[in-house]
Amino acid sequence: MADAARSPISLEGLDLAALVASRVCHDVISPVGAIVNGLELMEDGADQATTELALDLIRKSAKTASARLQFCRIAFGAAGSAGSAIDTRDAHQVATNFLNDDRTSIDWHIPPAFLPKNRVKLLLNLLMLAAGAIPRGGVIKVEMTGEGDTAGFAILVTGLNARVPPHAAELLAGIPANEQGTIDAHAIQPYYAGLLARAAGMTVRIEKVEDRVEISAS
């Protein structure tokens, strides 16, 4: 539960932008670094076998970097800023590319529709929280509740040792996780999700229920 005794987090626009940018960089630095490593291996005059391994590393890392950037473009950026709605099919595509791997899968039950931009951005941010609830992998089932401008979401997360990410409830509510009232790039994502929820007039709940984590936005 959020600690009501602590003052809400207050960030200047520049600080919020810097922390979100840091979070995005954190998500893409690893695959980009792997691409650089692969190129360095090839430049060092590696043999045929090593060259093939380097090329495979570069291909996989480039695909990962592209998936993460496309996801972040909608989840954090101004994608679709020319309009007020985003197609849920686009959200499905970027979420699948970003989160689906050999350990985690998305069970998507949201029909094709154009939803208000902040609601779709909120959904993607909640999916990031869902992925953080199953560090060893599992299944993220997502459904839509309601329709149109009143649409909400229900996310069911199952997996080995599923748990609510540390301080997620406080940060979603805009309450700092520490006594100093500070926030860093690691904590900015759930805080940003809370900002999106409030901008969309929605309430988010996250809780552990038996062996699963349930997230709802309504």
Side-chain angles (χ1 to χ4, degrees):
M1 297 293 291
D3 186 351
R6 295 179 187 170
S7 299
I9 297 168
S10 178
L11 286 178
E12 296 291 337
L14 287 176
D15 293 331
L16 176 62
L19 287 169
V20 170
S22 293
R23 172 58 199 246
V24 173
C25 290
H26 174 273
D27 285 339
V28 299
I29 194 67
S30 178
V32 170
I35 293 171
V36 173
N37 291 339
L39 291 171
E40 289 177 346
L41 278 175
M42 297 177 66
E43 289 172 354
D44 288 341
D47 57 28
Q48 183 64 30
T50 303
T51 297
E52 290 177 359
L53 287 173
L55 283 172
D56 186 55
L57 173 64
I58 291 170
R59 291 189 193 99
K60 290 179 179 177
S61 299
K63 183 177 180 180
T64 298
S66 176
R68 293 184 180 184
L69 283 171
Q70 289 180 48
F71 183 93
C72 290
R73 175 175 172 266
I74 298 180
F76 297 115
S81 58
S84 60
I86 296 177
D87 193 335
T88 58
R89 289 172 293 188
D90 292 336
H92 184 195
Q93 186 65 53
V94 298
T96 298
N97 292 342
F98 178 59
L99 296 173
N100 265 20
D101 56 27
D102 57 351
R103 300 188 307 167
T104 303
S105 62
I106 295 182
D107 185 12
W108 187 272
H109 295 275
I110 294 180
F114 282 89
L115 297 182
K117 181 164 55 180
N118 281 343
R119 289 179 184 259
V120 177
K121 290 164 69 72
L122 172 61
L123 170 60
L124 295 182
N125 274 268
L126 294 181
L127 290 176
M128 292 185 76
L129 278 179
I134 42 173
R136 297 189 181 184
V139 178
I140 301 171
K141 180 179 180 181
V142 54
E143 300 177 318
M144 188 164 73
T145 59
E147 298 179 352
D149 291 348
T150 62
F153 309 103
I155 302 173
L156 179 64
V157 190
T158 55
L160 184 63
N161 295 330
R163 84 287 190 273
V164 174
H167 309 298
E170 293 96 329
L171 292 166
L172 282 167
I175 304 299
N178 56 49
E179 297 291 344
Q180 294 74 33
T182 57
I183 188 170
D184 58 19
H186 179 73
I188 194 63
Q189 191 272 320
Y191 172 71
Y192 181 73
L195 290 179
L196 287 170
R198 289 186 284 279
M202 303 179 75
T203 299
V204 175
R205 293 176 58 87
I206 181 169
E207 58 185 339
K208 177 79 178 291
V209 180
E210 297 178 350
D211 60 346
R212 63 188 184 273
V213 172
E214 296 181 359
I215 304 172
S216 65
S218 59

